[in-house]
Amino acid sequence: MNSKRTQAGTDQAVAAFSRRRISDSTIRRLSVYYRALGALEVEGYHTVSSRDLADREKLTPAQVRKDLSAFGSFGTRGLGYPASELRARIGKILGIDREWNVGLVGVGHLGSALVSYKEFQKQGFTIRALFDNDQRKIGSNHKGVIIADVKDLAAEIKKRKLSMIIIAVPASVAQPVCDMAVQAGIKAMLNFAPVSLKVPSDVVVRTENMAMELEFLSFQLSNRAAKERGSA
Amino acid sequence: MNSKRTQAGTDQAVAAFSRRRISDSTIRRLSVYYRALGALEVEGYHTVSSRDLADREKLTPAQVRKDLSAFGSFGTRGLGYPASELRARIGKILGIDREWNVGLVGVGHLGSALVSYKEFQKQGFTIRALFDNDQRKIGSNHKGVIIADVKDLAAEIKKRKLSMIIIAVPASVAQPVCDMAVQAGIKAMLNFAPVSLKVPSDVVVRTENMAMELEFLSFQLSNRAAKERGSA
DNA sequence: AATTGTGAAATTGTTCACAGCA
DNA sequence: TGCTGTGAACAATTTCACAATT
């Protein structure tokens, strides 16, 4: 009844943060909406409905509305959401309305590939520092960035004001690298080593384990095969 | 009361598949346990308790037991689980007790890195075929595998008995590549292009969007910063 | 007429707590 | 005694359904 939150506000988003508990899945889907809105804009949509977004991403319209309503009232009843404005709003919520300085540790096959990964730059994530422990690599110029010695990780994090690091080192050295970064004040890491890193509770880590994703597929294939055989 | 499922069986696992609905998160955690068990074995553990596993992966013992019990009774009350046997059981459940032939489409920076990715081979995922649409790459030998023309995708899938494909092509051509693979009978794909692919319901797709992972971190950092400022 | 925003209901996933067993 | 396996309690997430609004 008390419609304290009903009036649309210009900048409720930030306020909403502190009011509600936002689930990880909601944040993940916000990224999805952000991309979908970009594509829909290109296709000429001026306003989009929760159904437009849902159909595109195999979600339900209610899910889309619930997710968005956690941050404010961005739509117009009877009409839908203004595509480009909503996209900008979500960008702001995700914090990608600015540049982020990122460091990458481990310039091996995967690390090198990530340096060239266009999507990062496009979203405002700039890899400003590279680190390795291989003397042959240290000092060399990789895509315009000099590879530094991982021993100088802490110093460089401060000097270059890095706020996130990407860990692309072998599993055996991932934890030590992580510890160094935590010591230097890093609060967010994207980890590609197949280990779960131990960090203090104020540090966020996302571990991307590609072998695990194939295992997931393997399970699904095996499972479906079993079903077809009609196991007793 | 009716304890039809209470008696321990030698090979209940497969039967359990058809009986219960297994959640994606459970499968994901099975992969985690599989890795943890490998590490614990190396550390000399012969039996492990649900607590050993839980502590290591920041989960609860109950969660570990629930996950495992969905597939059968692998432990001994009072003792714990036999490490190496449990690991083998999980491997079998995940379907990684055999070789999987994998194709990779898009031999760019990321694609090349994935070909060299040791974890895949270690888990039994062998990249047996590479595809690209760049005439300069086609026919060349990459880590012992000849790069084929993506036009021959369907033929090669059948010839080489590929059961999964990894999509590492630009977003704009990911859907057409996906469609070709589906046509050729592929039922599982790991997609690195930042688009959500449309597939029939009997095909599993896992989309790995690395920019999205950084966006997740960005949100967390922005959110925490907002909290510290104490936004009104 | 169309579509949002949102409490309430339904569903799904996690944790508790304890009987059962080595 | 110690630890598994599991039904029951609890928590989180998703979907429903509808009043509110343009």
Side-chain angles (χ1 to χ4, degrees):
Chain A
M1 278 311 154
N2 60 339
S3 52
K4 216 167 100 187
R5 219 188 292 99
T6 303
Q7 68 321 105
T10 344
D11 237 289
Q12 298 191 304
V14 176
F17 279 2
S18 29
R19 229 178 265 137
R20 305 192 189 197
R21 156 84 199 148
I22 308 297
S23 78
D24 283 10
S25 7
T26 294
I27 304 167
R28 211 53 58 72
R29 283 192 300 266
L30 244 37
S31 279
V32 168
Y33 304 149
Y34 184 81
R35 263 175 199 75
L37 284 164
L40 286 166
E41 267 190 89
V42 170
E43 288 174 30
Y45 282 75
H46 189 239
T47 54
V48 300
S49 67
S50 55
R51 177 164 296 283
D52 292 334
L53 282 167
D55 286 351
R56 195 174 185 99
E57 303 296 336
K58 282 235 203 82
L59 297 165
T60 64
Q63 177 85 84
V64 173
R65 296 200 299 275
K66 253 283 150 70
D67 285 337
L68 296 176
S69 77
F71 298 95
S73 294
F74 305 131
T76 309
R77 286 163 200 240
L79 251 176
Y81 302 89
S84 99
E85 190 190 315
L86 178 59
R87 183 155 183 273
R89 294 289 207 114
I90 294 176
K92 198 168 179 187
I93 292 165
L94 289 174
I96 54 176
D97 56 338
R98 65 184 205 73
E99 284 279 309
W100 289 97
N101 297 331
V102 180
L104 186 151
V105 192
V107 193
H109 291 294
L110 181 62
S112 304
L114 294 175
V115 177
S116 318
Y117 194 58
K118 297 285 192 305
E119 295 294 313
F120 288 163
Q121 187 58 74
K122 216 187 284 177
Q123 240 49 244
F125 300 103
T126 310
I127 296 179
R128 295 230 184 268
L130 298 174
F131 302 91
D132 209 296
N133 66 354
D134 183 339
Q135 292 302 322
R136 286 165 303 179
K137 289 177 187 168
I138 293 168
S140 72
N141 185 318
H142 194 281
K143 303 266 166 185
V145 185
I146 305 291
I147 301 179
D149 193 320
V150 70
K151 282 178 191 151
D152 302 326
L153 184 60
E156 292 285 313
I157 284 172
K158 281 159 188 164
K159 185 168 145 201
R160 300 187 187 276
K161 301 195 194 317
L162 306 179
S163 25
M164 304 176 182
I165 65 162
I166 298 174
I167 298 181
V169 301
S172 55
V173 293
Q175 187 63 59
V177 164
C178 168
D179 294 343
M180 285 173 75
V182 168
Q183 276 297 312
I186 286 288
K187 301 288 183 209
M189 308 185 204
L190 179 52
N191 171 40
F192 286 92
V195 287
S196 68
L197 299 172
K198 293 275 175 299
V199 293
S201 66
D202 65 333
V203 177
V204 211
V205 179
R206 276 291 308 159
T207 293
E208 201 70 353
N209 190 327
M210 296 179 294
M212 242 167 81
E213 301 301 331
L214 286 188
E215 285 166 14
F216 181 86
L217 296 180
S218 163
F219 173 86
Q220 300 294 348
L221 289 183
S222 308
N223 194 11
R224 278 155 208 244
K227 248 193 279 181
E228 277 166 304
R229 277 201 313 275
S231 60
Chain B
M1 283 306 152
N2 58 340
S3 52
K4 217 166 97 187
R5 219 187 292 99
T6 304
Q7 69 321 106
T10 344
D11 236 287
Q12 296 193 304
V14 176
F17 279 5
S18 29
R19 229 178 266 138
R20 303 194 190 197
R21 156 86 198 145
I22 309 295
S23 79
D24 283 12
S25 7
T26 293
I27 304 168
R28 213 52 58 72
R29 284 190 300 265
L30 244 37
S31 280
V32 168
Y33 305 149
Y34 183 81
R35 263 176 200 73
L37 284 164
L40 286 166
E41 267 190 88
V42 170
E43 289 173 31
Y45 281 75
H46 189 239
T47 54
V48 300
S49 66
S50 54
R51 178 165 296 284
D52 292 334
L53 282 166
D55 287 351
R56 195 173 184 100
E57 303 296 336
K58 281 231 203 86
L59 297 165
T60 64
Q63 177 84 83
V64 174
R65 296 200 299 274
K66 253 281 149 71
D67 286 338
L68 295 176
S69 78
F71 298 96
S73 295
F74 305 130
T76 308
R77 288 163 200 238
L79 250 176
Y81 302 88
S84 98
E85 190 190 315
L86 179 59
R87 183 155 183 271
R89 294 290 208 114
I90 294 176
K92 199 170 179 187
I93 292 164
L94 289 174
I96 53 176
D97 57 338
R98 64 185 204 71
E99 284 278 309
W100 290 96
N101 297 329
V102 180
L104 187 151
V105 192
V107 193
H109 290 295
L110 181 62
S112 304
L114 295 175
V115 177
S116 318
Y117 193 58
K118 297 286 191 304
E119 294 294 313
F120 288 163
Q121 187 57 73
K122 217 186 285 177
Q123 241 48 245
F125 301 103
T126 310
I127 296 180
R128 294 231 186 268
L130 298 174
F131 303 91
D132 209 296
N133 66 354
D134 184 337
Q135 292 302 323
R136 287 165 302 179
K137 289 177 188 167
I138 295 168
S140 71
N141 185 317
H142 194 282
K143 302 265 166 185
V145 185
I146 306 290
I147 301 180
D149 193 319
V150 71
K151 282 178 191 149
D152 302 325
L153 184 59
E156 292 286 314
I157 284 171
K158 281 160 189 167
K159 185 168 147 202
R160 299 187 187 278
K161 302 196 192 320
L162 307 179
S163 26
M164 304 177 181
I165 66 164
I166 299 174
I167 297 182
V169 301
S172 54
V173 292
Q175 187 62 60
V177 164
C178 168
D179 293 344
M180 285 173 76
V182 168
Q183 276 297 311
I186 286 288
K187 301 288 183 210
M189 309 185 202
L190 180 53
N191 171 41
F192 285 93
V195 286
S196 67
L197 299 172
K198 293 275 175 298
V199 292
S201 66
D202 65 334
V203 177
V204 211
V205 179
R206 277 290 308 160
T207 293
E208 201 71 352
N209 190 326
M210 296 177 295
M212 244 167 80
E213 302 301 331
L214 287 188
E215 286 166 15
F216 181 86
L217 296 179
S218 163
F219 173 86
Q220 300 295 348
L221 290 182
S222 309
N223 194 11
R224 277 153 210 246
K227 247 193 280 179
E228 277 166 306
R229 277 201 312 276
S231 59

